Structure formats: structure tokens, C-alpha cells
Amino acid sequence: DEADTLAYYEANKVRFYTEESVDLEYIEVLRADLAEGIEVTDEILENYYEDERYRFQTEDERRARHILINSAEEDSEAEADATEILARLEAGEDFQALASELSEDAGTRAQGGDLGWLSRGILVGPFEDALFAMEVGDLQGPIKTAFGYHIILLEEIRAGDVQTFESVREELIGDYQSSRVETMFYEQATELAGQAFDAFDELASVAAEIGLPLQSFEGLTRTGLGSPFAASAPVIQTAFSPEVLGQGENSGLVEIADDHVVVLRVVTHHLPAEQLLDAVRTDIEEELTQVAAETLAGAAAEGFSSQMERYLVERVAGSQVAGSEETEDTVEGTVIANAEEEVPVDSGSSLAALVIDHGGAWMAPQWVERIDPNVPTAILAAVFRAQQVQDETVREQIALASGDQAVVVISGIRPGDADSMTLGEQRQRINQLAEQLAMYELTSYAGQVRSQATVRIPEAVLDPLSIY
């Protein structure tokens, strides 16, 4: 009633303050907006193709063999050995046989000196210069590199290829647009940041100068509730910074995402203010109603519990439960809950009638698994924590997150049978257990770190009004 509402309001006035907020003006640059105005013509694409031709062509390749005589420095003896091998090759001896016998390159000796296919840039210096000046079947050597003296045999040439403009036209369109948008986005963001800095404490002239709309938003809070930005954290941090909030300056460039930046200024700063009763009356009435309902639900559950003992033995003994073997631990029991949904009632059951007398809903005995989507999580957690001793029934009263109260009777526990599970079900269960274990370990580690950490919480965080 009105007296309850007023009393609650007077006792909790500190709760009924508006949240600190600011009204903003801002200019934003979105990459997606820039893409719409990009012109793509054949002339533009052809010029872009020429600039990017290297991407669409493959270089000539050479397949070669070599024989290496190791020598980091100039060495007449090593050079003489290489010259002698070259003479033997020119006399007709087999290159692969001599490479396997005499080459000091451990990586290619077993393959007869085979270097595979080589393109420019892989082997630089004199070796590459010589290789790409040779014709198929040529022998060259001795060629000095940092590794020693080489004798090279060119076995095969594979000519490079160039993809035509028409074959890559669609790819060029997408690449050109992406490249152009990236450039335009960077240029416009840079210009926006510079113009906002020069304007110092107003954005209207900036918007007019660069041709972007000046937008506004009222009531941005530190929690970001109702923020128009997909990622509000950087905007909030900037809007409530000393420079922007306290000194009225334009902000620097604020990155919302990779493709979205803004500059902003605070137009008005709204400090927390006490709300009148009429503004919060509905909220108070809803809260008081919820609290009263929860209290009544708890009392009803306790009243039922106190009267059920004389019915319990008869009810459990009379329950006939049929079911197939389960793949997981299961619990049989009766759930009696205060809930808005109507549940079919066993009119022949004394307990069911008693439940109705207390304003609750009866749910017949059933086997439930640890993961059962039809049973509230709080009930599952409680019943699988419970221990049944010598076939005695277990009764527990459980508060649900909704404010409802449940009285649960556990009349049987049936162990799971892993052998009855399929291989896929076993693997799924193993993965679930692994994830649970990992979460337990992470939580334990975080708790340990937290217990060892030194934390200081500023008073303004706990009581924002203290700073005014």
C-alpha cells in the first residue's frame, strides 16, 4: 500500500538517484559508408592491374644440380678440386654419380646434388646470376659463394606465367575497393582528428568542413546503458576523462572498432540527482511485491514440509517407477514447487492435495539425470549433492532464482552405467568433464591470486556521491 511504498522510499533514498550522465556531440567515420562512393572503371582497373602485375605472374624457374666443395674463404686447393671435377664431367662422367661421391653438401649429396625447382631470390649472388644465365644442359663452375666452390648443371627450365586482366578482373575489383576504402578511411580519420584538435572545444565547424554529419546522444552513463556505440567502453572512458569532461575539450580519435572511429565532446554533464517518489513508485511496488511473494512462498513451503512427514512413508512406498537403464547417475524424487505454471495433479495422492492446500503444484516422482533441461538447475545441484543413507528418503527445501520455493524428496539414487553409452556419448561426456575440470582449476588459480593480491578500492567507486 501507499504507506509501505513511502516507508521503503524514505529508508532507501540513496538507491533512488539518477546515474551520472553526459550529453554528447560526435562525428564518426565508418569504413562501410566510404565503400558506397568508390568509382570503379575499366581504366582504373587496368592501371591497378599494371601496378599489381607481380601478384598475377609466376617467375621463370630452373631445375638444377650442383656439386659443392666447402670453403668459406678463397682456397686454391678447393678451387683446383672443383676444376678437376668439372673436367671429369666435361669428359662424360655422370653428374649424379660424382655428386653422390664428391659433393660436400650434406643436404643434396644423397639426391645426386638435386636442388629442385629454383626461382629468383632463393639463391642470391653469383650462384643465382650464373644459374639464370645458363641454357638447359649447360655446366658452369667453379663458382665461388660463401659456402665454397660450386659446379652447376641446369637440367630444365619452366617458363613463368601471367594471368590475364580479364581472368582476374573480379578479384581486382574487390582488391581495389578494399585498398581504396582503407586509404580513404585512414585519410578521413586523420583529417577528422586534426580538424577536431584545431577547433578545440566545438565540432560544428569540423563537421561542415569535412562534410560529415554532427550527431548527438543524450544520457550516456558510466555503465553505457543505451549507448549508440557497439563498443561503448572507449567512448565512456573518453567522455568522462578530465580533459573532455572537466575542461570541455574535443576528444582525440576514439577507436570503436577497426572500421569505426569518432571524435566527441561533452555538451552537458548531469550529476546524480534524487528522484521523486512518483518517478520510482512502480519500481518500488514491484520490488515490494516480489519480496512479499518470496516470503509467502517460503512460508508455504515450510508449512507443507512440517505436515508432510506422516504422508512421506506411504507416498514413497506407493510409488511405482518404471524406466530403462540410464547412462548417467539418476535420482528419483518428488518436486513440489510454488510456480505460476499449472502442473497436472495426482488427485489420489494425499501429498498432492496437501500441496494444493499450500498454494503449490505437485510433480509426480521421476528419475532425473544431472543434466535435465526440464528441472531447474538449483534443484539438480541440490539433489546430486545430497547423500542417501540406508535407503532413507531425503527431503530438502530449495530457493529458486525466480523467488519460487521447492520442496524436494529424494527416494532413490541409481548409479549410472558407462557401458551402456555409445562411443560418441562417452567422448562427449569426457569432453564435458575435461571442460569442468579446466574451469575448476582456473577458478582455483584465480582465487589463489586474488587471495594474495593487494587491492585498494577508491571510496568513489563504492559511493559515487562521495565525490560531490
Side-chain angles (χ1 to χ4, degrees):
D1 59 22
E2 181 65 20
D4 294 330
T5 303
L6 181 59
Y8 188 87
Y9 174 76
E10 293 295 338
N12 296 275
K13 274 190 175 182
V14 69
R15 292 183 50 194
F16 301 116
Y17 274 74
T18 59
E19 191 174 354
E20 179 188 14
S21 65
V22 291
D23 298 339
L24 301 179
E25 285 183 345
Y26 64 95
I27 304 171
E28 63 183 353
V29 178
L30 286 162
R31 185 180 300 168
D33 293 342
L34 299 175
E36 299 175 358
I38 295 179
E39 180 184 12
V40 181
T41 64
D42 284 344
E43 181 181 358
I44 291 174
L45 286 181
E46 287 170 359
N47 291 333
Y48 185 67
Y49 172 73
E50 292 300 325
D51 293 339
E52 301 290 315
R53 178 183 286 270
Y54 68 93
R55 294 170 43 202
F56 305 108
Q57 65 184 24
T58 56
E59 299 288 343
D60 291 349
E61 293 181 307
R62 304 286 194 273
R63 183 168 186 176
R65 296 179 186 272
H66 82 138
I67 296 173
L68 172 66
I69 304 300
N70 288 329
S71 175
E73 305 294 337
E74 296 287 342
D75 186 337
S76 58
E77 183 177 346
E79 184 176 9
D81 291 343
T83 302
E84 181 182 347
I85 294 172
L86 178 61
R88 293 174 63 181
L89 291 169
E90 290 174 338
E93 292 195 46
D94 183 66
F95 193 101
Q96 294 186 48
L98 286 181
S100 299
E101 176 186 354
L102 301 174
S103 179
E104 296 177 351
D105 180 3
T108 64
R109 182 171 55 198
Q111 291 79 39
D114 188 11
L115 291 168
W117 288 101
L118 302 171
S119 58
R120 288 189 181 275
I122 295 179
L123 300 172
V124 296
F127 190 104
E128 182 177 283
D129 294 339
L131 177 64
F132 281 87
M134 296 168 63
E135 299 294 335
V136 174
D138 285 355
L139 277 169
Q140 286 282 350
I143 298 169
K144 180 68 177 73
T145 70
F147 300 99
Y149 293 90
H150 302 260
I151 299 168
I152 305 172
L153 169 64
L154 178 59
E155 292 189 319
E156 192 176 352
I157 295 176
R158 185 159 60 190
D161 182 37
V162 179
Q163 294 176 275
T164 65
F165 170 78
E166 289 300 329
S167 68
V168 296
R169 190 176 189 281
E170 293 304 316
E171 182 180 349
L172 286 170
I173 293 174
D175 290 351
Y176 174 77
Q177 288 177 329
S178 296
S179 174
R180 184 63 185 139
V181 165
E182 187 69 29
T183 300
M184 292 173 63
F185 179 75
Y186 175 78
E187 290 175 348
Q188 196 163 66
T190 302
E191 182 183 8
L192 174 61
Q195 294 275 4
F197 178 81
D198 292 340
F200 186 67
D201 60 358
E202 59 86 20
L203 291 175
S205 64
V206 177
E209 180 69 23
I210 63 178
L212 290 174
L214 179 62
Q215 303 183 68
S216 62
F217 178 75
E218 296 181 355
L220 178 71
T221 65
R222 291 183 183 269
T223 58
L225 187 64
S227 168
F229 305 103
S232 58
V235 175
I236 293 170
Q237 183 177 0
T238 302
F240 287 92
S241 67
E243 297 79 13
V244 176
L245 179 62
Q247 301 177 26
E249 300 177 10
N250 295 336
S251 75
L253 209 60
V254 181
E255 184 176 1
I256 308 297
D258 292 340
D259 59 352
H260 186 190
V261 295
V262 303
V263 295
L264 58 88
R265 63 180 289 266
V266 172
V267 178
T268 309
H269 181 200
H270 303 282
L271 296 175
E274 182 179 340
Q275 294 177 283
L276 299 177
L277 175 59
D278 287 342
V280 296
R281 182 185 303 277
T282 301
D283 293 337
I284 293 176
E285 290 175 349
E286 289 178 354
E287 185 168 345
L288 289 176
T289 300
Q290 177 68 15
V291 171
E294 291 178 9
T295 301
L296 289 173
E302 291 174 2
F304 169 79
S305 297
S306 66
Q307 297 180 42
M308 73 177 294
E309 294 297 340
R310 63 191 179 93
Y311 298 103
L312 192 56
V313 174
E314 175 187 351
R315 181 69 183 95
V316 173
S319 296
Q320 299 295 326
V321 180
S324 60
E325 290 296 319
E326 303 291 343
T327 61
E328 185 180 2
D329 290 352
T330 55
V331 172
E332 184 209 22
T334 302
V335 180
I336 305 97
N338 290 309
E340 293 182 1
E341 296 183 5
E342 293 186 2
V343 181
V345 174
D346 178 3
S347 58
S349 167
S350 298
L351 279 180
L354 184 59
V355 169
I356 294 175
D357 290 343
H358 286 81
W362 169 261
M363 298 180 67
Q366 59 179 308
W367 289 104
V368 296
E369 295 184 353
R370 289 179 181 269
I371 302 175
D372 190 323
N374 299 316
V375 179
T377 302
I379 292 179
L380 291 176
V383 298
F384 279 95
R385 281 197 307 265
Q387 299 294 322
Q388 189 178 36
V389 180
Q390 297 180 349
D391 296 329
E392 292 182 358
T393 56
V394 178
R395 175 171 54 83
E396 187 168 350
Q397 183 171 331
I398 303 166
L400 306 184
S402 62
D404 291 347
Q405 293 281 330
V407 178
V408 180
V409 178
I410 305 172
S411 53
I413 297 177
R414 182 167 61 190
D417 180 12
D419 293 336
S420 67
M421 301 173 68
T422 66
L423 182 59
E425 290 171 336
Q426 291 181 24
R427 288 175 177 170
Q428 182 181 15
R429 190 59 46 81
I430 288 172
N431 290 336
Q432 290 173 345
L433 292 174
E435 291 178 0
Q436 290 176 8
L437 179 60
M439 182 57 66
Y440 293 150
E441 291 182 354
L442 176 61
T443 302
S444 176
Y445 171 73
Q448 181 182 6
V449 172
R450 186 183 296 276
S451 66
Q452 296 173 351
T454 300
V455 179
R456 184 186 67 83
I457 303 177
E459 183 180 356
V461 174
L462 299 176
D463 183 10
L465 297 180
S466 65
I467 64 175
Y468 302 109

